[in-house]
Amino acid sequence: MVSYLKTTSGMENYTRGETREVEMEPVFEIDKDCVDMKVNAGSKIRNLMGYAMNKVKNPSVKKIVWNGSGKAITKTVTCAEIMKRKIKDLHQITKLRNRRIEEYWEPNIEGLERLKVNRDISAISILLSKDPLDANTPGYQAPGSFEEFWKSELQQQKPSKRKHRKYYTKKDFEKNRNTETPRS
């Protein structure tokens, strides 16, 4: 009979208490001519895009900021890219940062101290603007710069020569088997 030692992480002596997000200053200034879109992991792209496109159609709206963190980062980038394809001539500035979450763990056993755990979660903010932005700002992309990059990249590459292979089907093998002459 084999006995197993119980390994513990030590956290069974604690219960999760208060959780709060450390307030951070906004990455981009949000004013009346700007739409602030917060993307969550459970958000539907169709709903986000419908709302954003309706807002951007208003001539007084000049900017839109897409914000997402954690598992929502890819969805945030997708929304911004879809908008750039639907509305041409948008200037873009992208900023990356971390959100800090503080978790407090309360001890279940007397004599233990209260624990504070800091979690940093990656976040992205993408500013899209109808008006020109400062091109010297880190993270700036000019309208159409991405398409121009790929056009020039494709022109530089030479078409590769591919060897064509014939793919045989089951019928081909049966036909070959029937047409073979017996060897003597």
Side-chain angles (χ1 to χ4, degrees):
M1 182 175 208
V2 178
S3 63
Y4 293 96
L5 294 175
K6 184 179 176 188
T7 59
T8 59
S9 64
M11 290 306 289
E12 68 273 359
N13 296 326
Y14 290 90
T15 55
R16 184 182 294 192
E18 178 187 2
T19 301
R20 65 179 153 186
E21 184 174 344
V22 177
E23 289 295 321
M24 298 177 70
E25 60 188 53
V27 178
F28 298 110
E29 187 178 320
I30 308 295
D31 48 8
K32 62 179 172 26
D33 69 335
C34 186
V35 177
D36 187 25
M37 297 294 296
K38 296 200 183 332
V39 180
N40 295 318
S43 300
K44 300 265 187 246
I45 292 177
R46 183 180 340 148
N47 296 341
L48 292 166
M49 292 307 300
Y51 179 81
M53 292 303 285
N54 283 335
K55 289 289 188 181
V56 171
K57 285 178 187 175
N58 185 345
S60 67
V61 174
K62 301 289 183 193
K63 299 175 187 174
I64 184 163
V65 177
W66 293 94
N67 295 299
S69 63
K71 294 180 180 179
I73 287 178
T74 54
K75 197 172 283 193
T76 305
V77 172
T78 300
C79 288
E81 291 298 324
I82 290 171
M83 181 160 276
K84 282 174 35 182
R85 288 192 186 260
K86 289 187 176 191
I87 302 173
K88 301 294 180 196
D89 299 327
L90 287 176
H91 297 263
Q92 175 180 339
I93 295 178
T94 304
K95 301 267 184 177
L96 298 173
R97 62 188 173 123
N98 286 323
R99 285 178 41 217
R100 165 112 352 140
I101 307 291
E102 293 178 346
E103 290 181 349
Y104 292 94
W105 293 77
E106 305 298 333
N108 295 336
I109 300 173
E110 206 168 307
L112 295 176
E113 293 182 19
R114 182 181 191 205
L115 297 178
K116 176 183 167 186
V117 178
N118 291 325
R119 288 189 300 133
D120 289 330
I121 300 171
S122 299
I124 191 168
S125 294
I126 303 171
L127 170 67
L128 299 177
S129 175
K130 295 176 184 176
D131 298 332
L133 300 169
D134 182 11
N136 296 325
T137 304
Y140 174 77
Q141 279 186 19
S145 62
F146 190 70
E147 286 84 10
E148 291 301 317
F149 168 77
W150 283 109
K151 283 179 189 175
S152 66
E153 198 62 29
L154 290 173
Q155 287 173 353
Q156 290 175 0
Q157 293 178 355
K158 295 179 182 175
S160 61
K161 294 182 180 180
R162 299 174 82 189
K163 292 180 181 177
H164 295 287
R165 295 181 180 167
K166 180 170 181 180
Y167 293 98
Y168 293 97
T169 62
K170 192 174 179 182
K171 270 186 174 178
D172 294 330
F173 285 114
E174 289 174 2
K175 195 185 299 182
N176 286 343
R177 207 180 298 160
N178 294 337
T179 58
E180 284 183 9
T181 56
R183 294 184 187 177
S184 30

